Structures are given as C-alpha cells and as structure tokens.
Amino acid sequence: MHVVVTVMVLGIGLTAAGYYWNNLRQSVQMDLRTAYDRQVADTARSAVARLTLYESLLRSSGGLYKINEQITQAEWDAFHEPYDIATRYPDIEGIGLSQYVKRADLSEYLRRRRAQGDADYTIYPQGNRDVYVPVTFNAGYIGNNSKSRGYDGYTDEVRRTAMDRAIDTGKPAMTGKVSLVSESRSGRPSFLLYMPIYKEGASVRSVQERQAAIVGFSYMAVDIKSLAEAIYDAGHSPNLAIKVLDAEADTKNNFVYQSEDYNFIMGQNGSVSDTRTISFYGHRYRVTFAGPPQLLSDRERQLPGQALWRGILTSVFFAGLVWYLVNDRERKYARQKQEEVQTAKDDLLSLASHQLRTPATVVKQYVGMLLQGYGGKLSDQQIDMLNNAYDSNERQLDIINQLLYVARLDADRIQLRTERLDVSTLLRSVAHEHEQSAAARGQRIAVKAPKRAIWAEVDPHYIRMAFDNLLSNAVKYTPEGGSINVSVRRSHGRVVVKVSDNGVGIEQAAQARVFEKFTRVENELSTDVNGSGVGLYLTNKIILLHHGSIELASEVGVGSVFTVYLPFSQPYES
Ligand code: ADP
C-alpha cells in the first residue's frame, strides 16, 4: 500500500517537474527567439539607414549634373570632398557619373569630353553599339585609382541589368556582386548602386517616357565586406553572425559575404538561425542570421536545468516523507491492533480459566467419589469408563491451571516465594514423576547429577513447574523407545540444567517462536499429543523471574536440548 502511495507521489512530482521544465525550456527558447529577432531587426534597420544615406548622396550627385551638364572632373571631385568619404564611409570605393550616349551622339560626347580638358578620353571596350554608358567622371576612394574613366559599364551584363532596371523604374538599382574595373582593395567583391538621371523638364511618368528621357546615372561602388562590417558595428551585438549570398547568381558564384564567427555560431548547440531573401534596390540577396544561445544571460539559460533538478529533488524528498509517514502510521496501527488482540486474549484467557476451573474441579470430585464407592458398587466396565473420565478431566484441569498461570504472569501477579533447595534432588523427583508416562512409551529417563547437592535460591512450586514442562515435552515429542537425559552441574557461577531428547526436533526457523504464547509447532507427533502452546512460554517466564535464562538447540529428526541457567545460591554445597 505505502509503495503504491509513494510511487504515486513520486510519479506526480516528477511529472510536474518535467512539465514545468518543458514549459520553462520553451519560454527560454522563446526569449532567445525574441532577443534574436530584435538583433536581426536592429541589423536590418542599420543597413537600411546606411543605404538610404548613400541613396541621398547619389541623388545630390545626380542633381549636380542636372543643373550643370558642363561640369568637369575637378568640380565633381570638389563637390564630393566635403563628405570626407574616405574617413566616414570607408566602404564607398567611388562615386561616379556615367552618361547615357546613343550612337548618334557619340562623336559629340567625345568632343565635349576632350574639350573639357580630358584630352585622351576614350571609351572602352571599343566597338559599334547602339548605346554607350561610359564612365564620365569618377571620384575614387581608398585604393581606387579611377582607372574606370571611359569604361562602358553597359557592356557588362550585371551592370546593364541594374542600369535598365533603374531607367525603367526611375529608382536606384543595385547590381549583384561585381569586380571593379578600377583596382580596388585586393579585388574584393563590390556592388554598384545606380541612380537614374533624366533630362531636365522631361515627363517621366511611364516606362517609355523614362526610357526616352534617360541621360545618365550617378553611381556608387561599395566594398561589400566593409559595408557589412560597418553595419555589423553599428547595429547589434557582435553575437549575431551573418552570411550573404547573391540570390540572383548561380550557386557557384553566389557567395558574397560571411562573418568570421559564422560557422562557429551555426555549429553551436541551441543556436537560432534563419534565412531570408532581402531585396536591396531591386536586387535580391539571401541573408542568413545566426544567433548563439549566449544572446541570453547565463542565468536565464540555466533556469530550466536548475528547475528540473530542484523538481526532482523535491519529488524524491516528498516521496520519502510520504513513505516514512505512511509506514509509520501502518506500523503504529499494526502495533495498536496487536496490543488490542493481546488484551482481548488475556481478558478471555483470565475469564475462561477462572470460570472453567470450578466446574472442572467439581467434576473431578464427583468422579473421585464414584470411584471410591460412594455411589454404590460399580461394575468393572463402569470403573474403566470413570477412570477414563477422571484422566481426561485431569488433563483438562492441567490446561486450565496452565492458562491461569499465564493470566497471572501476564498481570504480574506472581510473587516468588524462594528458598534454598538442591536442584539435583528436585530434578530426580520431577523425572520420577514422568517415569510412568515415559515407560508407557517405551522411553527411558536418565538423570545425571553430582552426589553433592547443588543449591539454588528458587520457588519450589514454580521451578518444578518449569522443569515439569521441559520433561513432559521431551516425553511427548520423542517417539516410542527414545531416551531422555537430564543433567545438572555447576559452571562459571551458574547452575546449568540440560533436558535433552532424541525426539523429532524443532526446525531452525521455528526455534525462536516456541517460547511465545500459544505457539505450537507442527511436527510428526504434534497431532497425537495434547498441548496448549503455553508450556514453554510459562517455563521461560518462570526462569526469567528467577534471573536465569533458557536456550534451545535442536535439529529435526535428531533431537532437542533445552539448557536452563540459574544463579547459584551461596553456599551452594553443604
Ligand atoms: P505444547 O503445549 O504445544 O507442547 P509448548 O509451549 O510446550 O506447547 O511447546 C511449543 C512447541 O514447541 C510444541 O508445539 C512443539 O512443537 C515444540 N516443542 C517443545 N518441546 C519440544 C521437544 N522436546 N521436541 C520437539 N519439539 C518440541
């Protein structure tokens, strides 16, 4: 019963702990997701803010050309100088102007360039094309040698795609990854941002109108790695890692940028990441953001694990407590029940024995009178029958007497009246009393005692009763023809009495029980013999009252030895 209750408490406790742990884990995971989303949003905001700034810069550069188509390279440079680009925007590699020149206008364009001080201005790659979009001016920064002047970007597919989109939409357009014509930082990938410039005063409401009105582009070349690092610094904790792929390039050529710790964070257990396609000025990139679990504090991350441990320990503790309490209650209950049963038994015992003794004694007297001839002459058969009745009544009285003694003992109502007597003599006398019943079973009782008396301070009545029990048991539980030995000696300040037989013996497991009240142990003779199960109980109690002790050694089929120790009486010899 208590096992079930304990397991139930433990089960409920552990389930609750597991449930709580799982909830906490989910909520921590949600917190991590929230922190991650915030970081991603910050990064995106920072990127948009920076690009919007670049867009504004390009709009004003384009505006410069629009108000004065005659500007020179020197003026272009002078216009951009105050922005202090090399220091403030180190990712910008150059800001340039490319004019949109139709074939018919090509010679006029070249003439004007050369007239404006660019004596050796040529367009490359050379060739006959309908449209040329050569770099007119180029202000180069950090490591850019402005070699691109004269380069017709319209001949390159990546650039042309962005330019056409800019023309058609009227909005800035970003290219995919390109390598600059000018020598730039160790050939790292860049992108170009084209801002369309339309003819002053022309209507640009439709695609056709815009295509007709296009005169050129202000454009910017940006080093992707530096830009990413600038955004990275400005936007978020360095815990977030980024990988950027060009969504419009084929997979062999689509790598754009990856922050240094990207692989490490992606490989970390419990990190969060997702990939989104982001369109920057009409060009799509695949951006993967990876956030490590460290986006949350150590304390928060350890919360579920700690809660689980606390839950397990608490469950075990309560299960243990329940186990203890239930067990204790059951123990108390069992003890109480046992005591109640014992009290009831004792009451019954005392009542029964007292009530039974008087009528049994009266029967004995009347049967005795009949046998003595007070009721007239009896036939032999009647005498036989009465003798049987007398013996039976005798045994009944014996049992009643034993029960009475038990009742008295249990009620502590036995007062020993001790005197010094010779134990050898006592044992010879007890043995003598049993000789007849032994002889009837073909048994022999031998008493071995020293010639000199062995004195002990005992109550003659009770000590006789004790030895009487031991001998009658020996006779009862020894098969016909067996032998019974009684010995007495002094040893180490004690009187030692042994009553041994070669009878049925008592199995090991039952040996401790035989001294308990109403205990009868089954053996091959027990069904044939009378017994109440209180003989050894009484014997043990009586010996204890004499400050002695009793021991049993027995083996089934071999025999039993009961050894009684009693204190010496000084002087023990006369
Ligand atoms: P009982 O009235 O049954 O003899 P006792 O208290 O005297 O009660 O003995 C308890 C049990 O111990 C007996 O039922 C019997 O099985 C066992 N017993 C006692 N003495 C002997 C013995 N000498 N040999 C074998 N068994 C014994």
Side-chain angles (χ1 to χ4, degrees):
M1 164 66 178
H2 43 268
V3 178
V4 176
V5 175
T6 308
V7 168
M8 256 168 64
V9 170
L10 189 67
I12 292 171
L14 289 180
T15 310
Y19 184 75
Y20 184 55
W21 167 73
N22 197 35
N23 270 1
L24 259 184
R25 214 172 47 117
Q26 278 172 4
S27 108
V28 166
Q29 200 56 33
M30 264 160 63
D31 285 356
L32 178 63
R33 191 76 218 185
T34 309
Y36 166 85
D37 287 344
R38 204 172 41 235
Q39 301 273 347
V40 170
D42 282 354
T43 309
R45 244 196 316 278
S46 170
V48 167
R50 202 168 177 99
L51 290 171
T52 309
L53 192 81
Y54 292 177
E55 182 190 332
S56 302
L57 188 54
L58 279 185
R59 282 186 196 279
S60 36
S61 307
L64 175 69
Y65 173 75
K66 234 173 157 169
I67 56 169
N68 178 13
E69 289 185 5
Q70 310 302 320
I71 60 160
T72 62
Q73 172 73 48
E75 284 166 335
W76 183 261
D77 289 345
F79 177 80
H80 291 100
E81 198 199 87
Y83 288 105
D84 193 12
I85 288 184
T87 317
R88 294 174 63 200
Y89 309 112
D91 46 317
I92 297 181
E93 292 172 291
I95 301 177
L97 181 85
S98 283
Q99 275 175 269
Y100 189 91
V101 185
K102 295 203 172 106
R103 188 166 25 191
D105 304 325
L106 183 64
S107 46
E108 169 60 14
Y109 171 76
L110 288 172
R111 194 196 56 77
R112 205 179 314 151
R113 290 273 32 85
R114 289 171 189 154
Q116 279 179 343
D118 231 345
D120 52 356
Y121 185 89
T122 49
I123 291 177
Y124 70 95
Q126 289 179 337
N128 256 337
R129 297 186 285 273
D130 289 344
V131 173
Y132 301 83
V133 189
V135 175
T136 312
F137 310 125
N138 179 14
Y141 307 100
I142 305 189
N144 186 330
N145 63 3
S146 307
K147 254 194 188 166
S148 64
R149 202 168 328 141
Y151 170 66
D152 179 0
Y154 211 60
T155 57
D156 169 49
E157 198 195 327
V158 175
R159 288 171 174 80
R160 189 172 60 243
T161 308
M163 286 188 214
D164 285 344
R165 197 168 63 240
I167 296 170
D168 290 356
T169 58
K171 289 179 185 155
M174 190 184 279
T175 63
K177 184 174 65 169
V178 299
S179 291
L180 295 186
V181 175
S182 309
E183 282 164 16
S184 61
R185 274 170 277 200
S186 63
R188 289 203 312 229
S190 309
F191 67 80
L192 297 167
L193 188 60
Y194 286 102
M195 172 68 77
I197 306 169
Y198 299 102
K199 194 185 177 80
E200 181 57 22
S203 165
V204 289
R205 278 201 296 272
S206 69
V207 174
Q208 285 78 9
E209 284 177 343
R210 285 194 284 270
Q211 285 174 351
I214 188 73
V215 292
F217 304 91
S218 55
Y219 72 89
M220 180 184 279
V222 179
D223 177 61
I224 294 176
K225 182 165 193 270
S226 304
L227 173 69
E229 280 165 5
I231 292 168
Y232 202 84
D233 284 348
H236 56 87
S237 97
N239 274 328
L240 208 62
I242 304 175
K243 180 175 184 173
V244 184
L245 299 177
D246 188 337
E248 295 180 21
D250 55 52
T251 45
K252 266 190 235 131
N253 198 32
N254 65 353
F255 179 80
V256 177
Y257 171 75
Q258 174 176 313
S259 54
E260 271 171 29
D261 48 0
Y262 180 81
N263 285 334
F264 173 72
I265 290 180
M266 277 304 248
Q268 234 179 321
N269 207 357
S271 62
V272 256
S273 70
D274 61 18
T275 303
R276 25 193 119 177
T277 301
I278 303 177
S279 176
F280 289 111
Y281 297 110
H283 192 91
R284 284 175 298 115
Y285 288 93
R286 303 267 304 151
V287 184
T288 305
F289 294 98
Q294 284 81 1
L295 285 179
L296 296 180
S297 67
D298 286 356
R299 209 187 62 82
E300 187 171 0
R301 277 185 295 130
Q302 285 157 7
L303 228 54
Q306 283 168 353
L308 183 64
W309 273 116
R310 269 199 298 273
I312 291 174
L313 290 181
T314 313
S315 307
V316 169
F317 171 76
F318 274 109
L321 193 68
V322 166
W323 168 272
Y324 174 78
L325 290 178
V326 174
N327 235 348
D328 195 49
R329 232 186 63 158
E330 279 189 2
R331 261 200 310 273
K332 278 188 186 143
Y333 181 73
R335 205 181 312 136
Q336 193 186 341
K337 267 272 156 271
Q338 205 179 0
E339 279 165 9
E340 280 172 18
V341 169
Q342 196 53 53
T343 313
K345 265 192 195 169
D346 291 349
D347 290 351
L348 186 71
L349 176 75
S350 151
L351 185 83
S353 47
H354 281 102
Q355 303 302 322
L356 288 172
R357 195 165 187 251
T358 316
T361 313
V362 173
V363 170
K364 179 178 167 138
Q365 283 165 356
Y366 278 106
V367 174
M369 281 162 72
L370 282 174
L371 280 170
Q372 281 165 26
Y374 286 101
K377 197 164 162 35
L378 301 168
S379 68
D380 283 352
Q381 196 186 9
Q382 284 169 328
I383 291 175
D384 249 12
M385 288 165 115
L386 281 174
N387 267 330
N388 278 341
Y390 192 86
D391 286 349
S392 194
N393 173 256
E394 193 85 297
R395 280 201 301 277
Q396 186 184 14
L397 270 171
D398 271 355
I399 292 175
I400 291 172
N401 277 337
Q402 276 199 336
L403 295 181
L404 264 173
Y405 282 119
V406 170
R408 269 186 222 156
L409 255 175
D410 288 348
D412 282 334
R413 287 210 338 263
I414 286 186
Q415 282 282 323
L416 294 187
R417 275 190 224 104
T418 62
E419 56 188 67
R420 210 145 57 85
L421 61 82
D422 174 17
V423 180
S424 308
T425 311
L426 171 81
L427 285 171
R428 280 195 200 96
S429 154
V430 175
H432 182 67
E433 274 175 23
H434 287 275
E435 259 161 16
Q436 214 183 337
S437 54
R441 294 171 60 75
Q443 297 164 340
R444 240 178 50 81
I445 302 179
V447 179
K448 207 171 135 205
K451 285 211 179 70
R452 278 178 298 180
I454 295 183
W455 298 102
E457 190 75 24
V458 290
D459 181 312
H461 173 68
Y462 284 109
I463 205 77
R464 174 176 274 275
M465 193 191 288
F467 290 131
D468 189 54
N469 274 331
L470 292 180
L471 266 155
S472 85
N473 277 346
V475 173
K476 277 194 311 190
Y477 299 114
T478 300
E480 297 196 356
S483 58
I484 292 145
N485 288 295
V486 180
S487 74
V488 57
R489 63 194 168 95
R490 47 169 279 220
S491 169
H492 297 93
R494 294 182 297 182
V495 176
V496 183
V497 177
K498 276 185 195 293
V499 178
S500 44
D501 61 57
N502 57 359
V504 293
I506 303 167
E507 58 180 356
Q508 186 71 31
Q511 288 182 12
R513 271 195 294 125
V514 295
F515 296 104
E516 287 167 15
K517 213 187 310 186
F518 301 120
T519 302
R520 301 208 66 201
V521 180
E522 291 283 309
N523 59 47
E524 53 190 76
L525 292 175
S526 56
T527 44
D528 302 340
V529 302
N530 291 310
S532 55
V534 294
L536 285 179
Y537 173 76
L538 271 179
T539 302
N540 183 39
K541 286 278 176 180
I542 290 167
I543 304 289
L544 287 177
L545 281 175
H546 283 88
H547 307 291
S549 61
I550 184 164
E551 281 171 7
L552 163 62
S554 182
E555 203 177 316
V556 174
V558 176
S560 309
V561 182
F562 286 88
T563 308
V564 175
Y565 299 92
L566 290 169
F568 268 130
S569 168
Q570 293 292 351
Y572 57 90
E573 288 175 90
S574 64

